[in-house]
Amino acid sequence: MPRLLVLLCLLSALASAGERPLELVTLQYPPYQYQDGTEVSGVAVDIVREAFRRMGRPVHVSIYPWGRSLAMAESGQADAIFTLYKTPEREARLDYSRQVLMPQEVSLFVLRDSPIRFDGRLSQLAGYRFGVVRAVSYGAIFDAAARQGGIRIAETAASGEQNMEKLLARRFDILISNRLGARDIIRRQHAEALVRELKPPVEQIPSYIAFARKSELAGMRDRFDAALETMKRDGSYGRLVSPAAP
């Protein structure tokens, strides 16, 4: 019996090794995910890779502009996308994990010498110009305010780095971003003395991995959820997340 178990394990490992890697896409968004030379790294990447490792499924992670990544996942050109906020439009096209991949916080940033203050109501900022990244959702509160015209989007950038450069060039008044992502960009651009964060945050938002709706991926979401839940129970998730904690 022990020999049979060993044989079965070896056969399972060989089967997994023969499977094509799942193609996962994301965006440049330190500290969650980022390209450093040829390597894709980051806390969210580490979590995703560990979950799939436990599933015995190889993966390949690529970074593209967010709009392209989203289009690839929705069309089935990619197998999954992360770290993704939920919107009704996206849920209609993608199979979201039930387990939260990464909790995130969306905040506003202005130049250090700006007189702008914020008490949590976006309506008080209606007279200011906002900068955003193309195809990025900033949560239900901000997205609804932008859609209904309650705030004015003056600039749309291709990346968070470009958006920060536009703020520094005074192309708009207020930058909205994932809090940790913006802080990482500020640090890398040596802009700590030039930019400040408005308090309180706009919204605390969970982000997920979402799978393309393809027949060959049937059951993949549930398997990923089970692996991620196990990681949260055994403490490995917390150990991976802790370096990115504010």
Side-chain angles (χ1 to χ4, degrees), residues 78-175:
D79 295 304
I81 182 172
F82 67 95
T83 46
L84 195 67
Y85 296 164
K86 281 187 177 180
T87 70
E89 296 78 14
R90 292 173 180 178
E91 287 189 273
R93 301 185 182 100
L94 295 165
D95 192 14
Y96 273 78
S97 63
R98 292 189 175 91
Q99 287 286 322
V100 173
L101 179 62
M102 288 291 299
Q104 299 189 34
E105 198 168 65
V106 171
S107 289
L108 303 176
F109 295 83
V110 298
L111 293 176
R112 181 73 63 179
D113 61 4
S114 170
I116 298 173
R117 295 292 183 268
F118 182 54
D119 67 3
R121 295 173 299 145
L122 285 175
S123 58
Q124 75 175 118
L125 304 176
Y128 296 104
R129 302 167 300 164
F130 281 79
V132 300
V133 176
R134 183 176 298 109
V136 169
S137 168
Y138 294 99
I141 294 173
F142 185 88
D143 289 356
R147 187 170 56 250
Q148 295 163 9
I151 55 173
R152 179 160 64 100
I153 305 300
E155 293 279 345
T156 301
S159 67
E161 289 83 358
Q162 186 185 88
N163 207 31
M164 188 66 67
E165 289 165 4
K166 289 185 175 186
L167 174 66
L168 293 170
R170 300 181 186 271
R171 297 271 294 274
F172 55 83
D173 306 303
I174 305 173
L175 179 148

